[in-house]
Amino acid sequence: MLAQPHEDVYIMSDDGLRLHGTYFPRDSKKFVICFHGYTSKGMSDYIGLSDYYIRNNYQMLLVDERAHGDSEGVYIGFGCLDRYDALKWIDWVLDKAGNDVEILLHGTSMGGSTVLMASGLTLPEQVKGIVSDCAFTSPKYVFTHVLHSMYHMPAFPIIQISDYVNKKKAGYGLDECNAAREVRKAKIPILFIHGSADTFVPCTMCDEIYENCASPRKKLIIQGAAHAESYYKDMISYENALNEFTEGLL
């Protein structure tokens, strides 16, 4: 990936944050915008998947979500705020590549939730499809699951206190935006990918979001894959699913 020509790019969010991305240009009208997971950054989460997109002649934009990587921000958006940043990145792509570009959104973990939450917004016609890998429904429910499964603690009153503090400090509630609700408004095709052995974001969340999705949808469950491990666990199935999903879209 690092051997490919690439450059740092920046935009401003609606609330005044300088957001960073890494742009990989190619002579193509196919463009993928990639959103990483919690505490990571674009240039980390897509080291493997970038190979697929480079081989298939996509331009790539690897985004650092707010409060991650080289992007500004004190508070993590958990997709609730980042979905609006995604609209800004889409505008950047249109300015860079032109109105005849065809855009795919790909998100992993928190990035998956970001692109699913963005599906409920009004997206430009150039956005042709969404790929969500191991997304959660909302911060509230993934934190509740972690409290129960990893720390053996009750959600009450921790979640309620956290929700109150988060609203005051970060400006959004922990279930204010829920991917399972947002996809009810989706109009573009979505590919859902999840690992059956994911203990951080349980596979049942993928099933819930999938069942609520109003747009054309496909689902791939990688057996034995842990959180964000699906591509490395079964690369052939993952890439075949991407090929089948994007055929006719791009």
Side-chain angles (χ1 to χ4, degrees):
M1 181 179 74
L2 292 175
Q4 305 297 318
H6 60 281
E7 61 185 274
D8 295 318
V9 295
Y10 297 89
I11 61 169
M12 293 295 291
S13 70
D14 287 331
D15 52 349
L17 298 177
R18 189 170 188 251
L19 304 179
H20 170 261
T22 308
Y23 169 51
F24 290 76
R26 296 185 81 80
D27 184 17
S28 173
K29 285 299 180 179
K30 295 191 299 183
F31 209 119
V32 62
I33 310 176
C34 300
F35 297 82
H36 61 79
Y38 175 62
T39 72
S40 188
K41 59 182 180 179
M43 290 289 280
S44 293
D45 278 12
Y46 288 90
I47 290 171
L49 268 164
S50 67
D51 181 61
Y52 171 84
Y53 286 119
I54 291 167
R55 279 189 280 111
N56 286 278
N57 200 35
Y58 282 79
Q59 297 194 68
M60 290 193 307
L61 176 63
L62 308 185
V63 168
D64 285 349
E65 298 197 50
R66 56 175 54 214
H68 289 80
D70 292 327
S71 288
E72 292 180 345
V74 176
Y75 301 108
I76 294 172
F78 280 100
C80 301
L81 302 181
D82 309 274
R83 57 181 173 152
Y84 298 112
D85 300 336
L87 294 181
K88 292 288 188 179
W89 283 117
I90 292 168
D91 288 342
W92 182 90
V93 169
L94 295 177
D95 288 341
K96 184 71 174 179
N99 288 330
D100 57 343
V101 71
E102 296 177 319
I103 300 172
L104 187 68
L105 305 180
H106 192 141
T108 302
S109 190
M110 186 182 76
S113 297
T114 296
V115 295
L116 291 179
M117 291 174 183
S119 74
L121 303 174
T122 300
L123 298 173
E125 63 181 3
Q126 290 87 354
V127 181
K128 302 300 183 181
I130 291 173
V131 180
S132 167
D133 186 339
C134 62
F136 52 77
T137 50
S138 75
K140 175 183 177 181
Y141 290 107
V142 75
F143 293 158
T144 298
H145 171 75
V146 168
L147 282 170
H148 289 162
S149 63
M150 298 179 69
Y151 298 101
H152 310 292
M153 295 174 66
F156 180 84
I158 298 171
I159 292 295
Q160 287 72 18
I161 295 170
S162 299
D163 184 63
Y164 174 77
V165 173
N166 212 68
K167 283 179 182 176
K168 290 197 68 174
K169 295 284 190 179
Y172 67 96
L174 296 182
D175 195 43
E176 183 175 310
C177 188
N178 186 306
R181 293 197 299 266
E182 293 303 308
V183 295
R184 295 172 188 168
K185 298 176 280 185
K187 293 182 172 58
I188 61 173
I190 301 177
L191 170 62
F192 296 90
I193 301 173
H194 217 102
S196 68
D198 192 336
T199 57
F200 189 69
V201 178
C203 200
T204 52
M205 286 195 181
C206 179
D207 295 334
E208 180 185 353
I209 302 170
Y210 179 85
E211 291 303 321
N212 277 276
C213 185
S215 61
R217 64 205 196 279
K218 294 184 177 182
K219 181 167 62 172
L220 172 68
I221 304 299
I222 301 293
Q223 296 302 314
H227 189 63
E229 194 183 68
S230 292
Y231 184 68
Y232 304 99
K233 192 75 172 179
D234 190 347
M235 194 177 298
I236 293 174
S237 294
Y238 200 114
E239 293 193 355
N240 285 343
L242 286 175
N243 290 337
E244 292 173 9
F245 178 68
T246 56
E247 185 177 0
L249 284 182
L250 305 176

